[in-house]
């Protein structure tokens, strides 16, 4: 399990804290700007703005 | 032009549908499912399907690479070829195609499906997507020369990758592109039922406005179906008819008014 880490929000530069139980693909909110972020990697930790999908299903 | 959608249920009278279609005067395109077959194949091969439920309540099959293999085997392989065989036996010169073939159905891969896992919100990415366009030129080439296209998933995405997609959505895009005037959808029920456990609760007619209302009242796969039906009804076809595919003469009965008409 990865240790926690503090990252920078890619939108506003605010602090984003990820814990050891963070999941790959997890969606979190930047506490400063409210942007929805996706955890794109957990080893190492990385975040990006979450994609928006109009209809969220496959088949 | 008629678009005929044959569901993937195991109790549909496929022989009856194809036999009836052989007597239909106007051109048609068949789009078919194979979910029961896919599920059985996946179980038999020890690779059972996984289902995701998105946070907005929609359910879908998790289409990883394994799942796409399964659907290729079931939909565009076995089911498609047996359907083409049956058509040929009934004098319909069918050509079976997946969306990959000649890029006949092109789509865009989903950016991700939002699910809740252990209380956390997560994006799951897989090989699924939405149909966006069809190769009308190829379809017209076939139709104008006496061939009947029989279409199945997978479809092709923007990176030329095979993706899973929803047949109801494909029918809507196809009907709009080709200018279909009727869509016949065969299911394992008399039509749209007010009470899914009561075959006598058939709703004979639903307006488009009513469809939107009903969509908000249901959940899971039914909600997806209602949305897809609503889109289908907005594609320009004069009628979408949902009818029983288990009866002796499914097509004849549907064209005579049996089932649910959305118009």
């Amino acid at each position: 399990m990865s240790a926690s880490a503090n990252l920078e929000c890619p939108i506003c530069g605010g602090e984003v804290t990820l814990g050891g139980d963070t999941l790959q693909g997890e969606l979190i909110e930047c506490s400063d700007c409210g942007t929805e972020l996706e955890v794109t990697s957990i080893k190492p930790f990385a975040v990006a703005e979450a994609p928006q999908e109009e209809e969220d299903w496959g088949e | 032009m008629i678009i005929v959608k044959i569901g993937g249920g195991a109790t549909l009278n496929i022989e009856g549908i194809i036999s009836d279609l052989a007597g239909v005067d106007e051109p048609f395109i068949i789009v078919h499912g194979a979910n029961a077959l896919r599920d059985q194949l996946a179980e038999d091969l020890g690779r059972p399907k996984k289902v995701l439920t998105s946070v907005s309540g929609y359910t879908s099959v998790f289409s990883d690479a394994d799942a796409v293999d399964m659907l290729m085997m079931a939909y565009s392989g076995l089911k498609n070829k047996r359907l083409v065989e049956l058509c040929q036996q009934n004098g319909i010169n069918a050509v079976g195609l997946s969306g990959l073939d000649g890029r006949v159905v092109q789509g865009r891969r989903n950016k991700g499906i939002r699910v809740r896992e252990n209380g956390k919100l997560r994006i799951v990415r897989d090989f699924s997507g939405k149909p966006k366009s069809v190769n009308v030129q190829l379809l017209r080439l076939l139709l104008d020369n006496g061939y009947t296209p029989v279409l199945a998933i997978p479809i092709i995405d923007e990176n030329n990758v095979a993706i899973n997609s929803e047949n109801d959505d494909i029918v809507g895009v196809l009907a709009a592109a080709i200018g279909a005037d009727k869509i016949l959808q065969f299911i394992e029920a008399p039509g749209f039922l007010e009470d899914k456990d009561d075959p006598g609760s058939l709703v004979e007619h639903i307006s488009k406005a009513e469809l939107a209302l009903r969509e908000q009242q249901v959940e899971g796969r039914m909600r997806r179906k209602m949305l897809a039906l609503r889109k289908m009804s907005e594609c320009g076809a004069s009628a979408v008819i949902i009818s029983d595919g288990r009866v002796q003469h499914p097509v004849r009965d549907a064209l005579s008014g049996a089932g649910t008409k959305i118009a």
Side-chain angles (χ1 to χ4, degrees), chain A:
Chain A
M1 193 181 282
S2 310
S4 61
N6 291 324
L7 274 65
E8 206 174 87
C9 170
I11 305 304
C12 73
E15 193 171 270
V16 176
T17 303
L18 301 181
D21 61 346
T22 299
L23 301 172
Q24 173 103 19
E26 188 174 335
L27 295 170
I28 56 176
E29 195 177 279
C30 171
S31 54
D32 283 358
C33 67
T35 300
E36 190 179 48
L37 303 173
E38 177 190 353
V39 177
T40 53
S41 166
I42 56 172
K43 284 180 185 175
F45 280 124
V47 293
E49 188 176 5
Q52 297 303 311
E53 185 75 65
E54 189 186 305
E55 296 163 352
D56 58 345
W57 66 78
E59 176 259 334

Side-chain angles (χ1 to χ4, degrees), chain A residues 21-28 36 38 50-53 55-59, chain B residues 54 56 60-61 110-111 114 120-123 125 128 130 164-165 224 227 231:
Chain A
D21 61 346
T22 299
L23 301 172
Q24 173 103 19
E26 188 174 335
L27 295 170
I28 56 176
E36 190 179 48
E38 177 190 353
Q52 297 303 311
E53 185 75 65
E55 296 163 352
D56 58 345
W57 66 78
E59 176 259 334
Chain B
S54 73
S56 46
S60 57
V61 171
N110 289 332
K111 291 177 194 166
R114 287 151 184 272
K120 297 187 176 204
L121 198 55
R122 206 177 147 228
I123 276 198
R125 289 189 174 77
S128 67
K130 308 291 184 295
N164 194 355
S165 194
R224 294 259 315 280
L227 172 60
K231 285 185 179 175

Side-chain angles (χ1 to χ4, degrees), chain B residues 121-141:
Chain B
L121 198 55
R122 206 177 147 228
I123 276 198
V124 174
R125 289 189 174 77
D126 68 356
F127 295 100
S128 67
K130 308 291 184 295
K132 294 296 177 190
S133 60
V134 300
N135 186 342
V136 176
Q137 188 183 35
L138 175 56
L139 292 169
R140 283 286 172 211
L141 179 67

Side-chain angles (χ1 to χ4, degrees), chain B residues 65-82:
Chain B
D66 241 18
V68 175
D69 281 353
M70 291 300 110
L71 79 89
M72 281 182 175
M73 284 186 224
Y75 285 78
S76 49
L78 185 51
K79 191 75 170 189
N80 188 263
K81 297 314 150 196
R82 285 299 188 192

Side-chain angles (χ1 to χ4, degrees), chain B residues 90-192:
Chain B
N90 282 272
I92 300 168
N93 199 353
V95 174
L97 298 169
S98 75
L100 300 173
D101 300 303
R103 307 179 63 81
V104 79
V105 184
Q106 296 148 56
R108 182 178 59 81
R109 196 158 151 189
N110 289 332
K111 291 177 194 166
I113 300 169
R114 287 151 184 272
V115 299
R116 198 160 291 282
E117 190 177 307
N118 299 326
K120 297 187 176 204
L121 198 55
R122 206 177 147 228
I123 276 198
V124 174
R125 289 189 174 77
D126 68 356
F127 295 100
S128 67
K130 308 291 184 295
K132 294 296 177 190
S133 60
V134 300
N135 186 342
V136 176
Q137 188 183 35
L138 175 56
L139 292 169
R140 283 286 172 211
L141 179 67
L142 292 168
L143 290 160
D144 291 348
N145 286 281
Y147 299 100
T148 296
V150 179
L151 308 180
I153 52 171
I155 67 174
I156 193 163
D157 83 357
E158 65 276 22
N159 294 308
N160 298 319
V161 172
I163 55 173
N164 194 355
S165 194
E166 179 63 51
N167 267 338
D168 288 337
D169 294 337
I170 291 169
V171 167
V173 171
L174 175 62
I178 204 104
D181 53 38
K182 239 183 252 98
I183 298 173
L184 302 183
Q185 183 162 186
F186 293 106
I187 60 172
E188 293 174 296
F192 185 81

